[in-house]
Amino acid sequence: MKCEIIPERCIACGLCQTIAPEIFDYTDEGLVLFVGEPGATHEFVPEAQQAVVIESAKRCPSHAILYQDSL
């Protein structure tokens, strides 16, 4: 699965980091970023973490997290 974050949409509510702390973190300004690749806006998600990424995307109030299932 591929995940995309759109920091411009992020409202720093904290849900994604609460749901998936191994995947998501925040900048000093409170904008979402990837834990392993802070400068990236796209990341491939390990199978073991896919459920929490989907949950994070579904619960994000500003739609700052998108995902695409692998074909």
Side-chain angles (χ1 to χ4, degrees):
M1 162 194 291
K2 186 169 90 172
C3 180
E4 177 182 0
I5 55 175
I6 306 170
E8 302 82 39
R9 291 185 184 174
C10 181
I11 60 170
C13 73
L15 282 174
C16 62
Q17 187 185 34
T18 300
I19 296 167
E22 300 85 13
I23 302 292
F24 302 112
D25 200 1
Y26 289 94
T27 66
D28 291 339
E29 292 81 30
L31 301 178
V32 66
L33 56 80
F34 290 115
V35 169
E37 300 180 63
T41 58
H42 294 79
E43 182 173 281
F44 286 99
V45 179
E47 189 172 339
Q49 298 297 323
Q50 290 179 6
V52 292
V53 168
I54 291 169
E55 181 69 18
S56 297
K58 288 180 177 180
R59 294 186 59 195
C60 179
S62 62
H63 306 286
I65 301 169
L66 307 173
Y67 67 94
Q68 180 179 9
D69 290 324
S70 300
L71 298 176

